[in-house]
Amino acid sequence: MVAQRFVPLEGSRRSSALIEEVDAAFRDAAISPQQLQLVAVSIGPGSFTGLRIGVTFAKTLAYGVGCPVVGVNTLQAVAESVASDLVERVETLHVVSDAQRGEVFYQPFQRAHRGLKTGEPSQPTATWTSAAMREILTPALLASRLQAGDCVVGPAIEKHHAEFMSANVDLNLCTCEPDAASVARLGRYCRDQCQSDAWSLLPDYGRLSSAEEKRGDQLRV
């Protein structure tokens, strides 16, 4: 990694701050946008507005400089962002992010037992691979399905800590946000399998909006 910047999560300046921080990252790395070979962006699940801003910016940047753009599962990016000592201690990560309405997006990931091969830095692999399909659950229901000692990580832990604890299961809870470096590594890993052009990449909202559900729309996946 040659540069990483952080965008404020709160406030009305998020979209403008994104542009400013990406510009600063180029300066930190002493490269121009035209030197980009790939743009990777987490596409969800997540907040509707945040995903629209992030994905639109990534598509515009990739289209403007003429490089591919890859969409990365945000929950897998969370798994890739956990501390290295946790990677060594657990075989399965239960990743959660806030789905609003008192629910969380949930997906388990198994340790892949793979890493960068010596002498082949251009062929990165994922530390964690999907163990099951993504679900939308209440934190209490998810906790009741897990076993004592299971490791639950993700940005939803702080908000739903009480609900996780209400199931009286002794879980290992760890707040963890996806970071840009993890999204970049996953983007390099999956570019040959899920490479997309700027026209076809779409956010993965994970669920319909309240208005769409009332209207009876169907979620397309």
Side-chain angles (χ1 to χ4, degrees):
M1 183 175 67
V2 295
Q4 181 170 240
R5 307 285 296 193
F6 296 91
V7 178
L9 294 178
E10 304 296 337
S12 59
R13 291 188 63 254
R14 185 186 304 180
S15 57
S16 60
L18 172 61
I19 297 172
E20 292 169 1
E21 295 300 336
V22 170
D23 182 59
F26 281 122
R27 295 196 303 271
D28 291 346
I31 62 173
S32 70
Q34 287 69 29
Q35 291 176 268
L36 286 179
Q37 298 177 334
L38 177 72
V39 173
V41 59
S42 60
I43 60 171
S47 71
F48 287 73
T49 301
L51 290 177
R52 282 194 291 269
I53 291 172
V55 172
T56 299
F57 178 82
K59 292 169 65 171
T60 303
L61 177 61
Y63 177 75
V65 303
C67 75
V69 58
V70 168
V72 168
N73 176 353
T74 301
L75 297 180
Q76 187 173 11
V78 172
E80 294 291 326
S81 301
V82 300
S84 57
D85 64 320
L86 192 60
V87 176
E88 300 302 322
R89 289 191 283 112
V90 300
E91 291 291 329
T92 302
L93 282 179
H94 301 276
V95 182
V96 293
S97 67
D98 189 25
Q100 303 297 326
R101 309 176 209 175
E103 296 173 316
V104 295
F105 295 112
Y106 162 68
Q107 191 169 10
F109 291 86
Q110 295 277 158
R111 187 141 54 95
H113 298 287
R114 298 197 304 269
L116 290 175
K117 297 179 181 179
T118 303
E120 297 184 70
S122 63
Q123 298 181 14
T125 61
T127 305
W128 302 93
T129 58
S130 173
M133 297 291 289
R134 184 178 69 210
E135 299 180 77
I136 300 178
L137 304 168
T138 64
L141 176 58
L142 173 58
S144 70
R145 287 169 38 175
L146 300 177
Q147 299 179 355
D150 281 350
C151 186
V152 186
V153 303
I157 296 297
E158 184 174 357
K159 178 178 180 179
H160 297 287
H161 188 272
E163 293 96 319
F164 281 114
M165 299 301 292
S166 68
N168 295 319
V169 179
D170 187 15
L171 300 173
N172 181 9
L173 303 176
C174 178
T175 299
C176 181
E177 298 280 352
D179 62 38
S182 298
V183 173
R185 287 194 299 269
L186 283 173
R188 292 183 63 197
Y189 168 61
C190 69
R191 60 182 164 188
D192 294 332
Q193 298 139 316
C194 59
Q195 182 170 314
S196 173
D197 60 40
W199 300 106
S200 59
L201 182 65
L202 296 172
D204 175 13
Y205 296 119
R207 71 183 312 162
L208 298 172
S209 67
S210 297
E212 289 170 325
E213 288 181 348
K214 291 177 181 178
R215 199 168 58 217
D217 290 1
Q218 297 294 315
L219 183 65
R220 292 182 293 178
V221 295

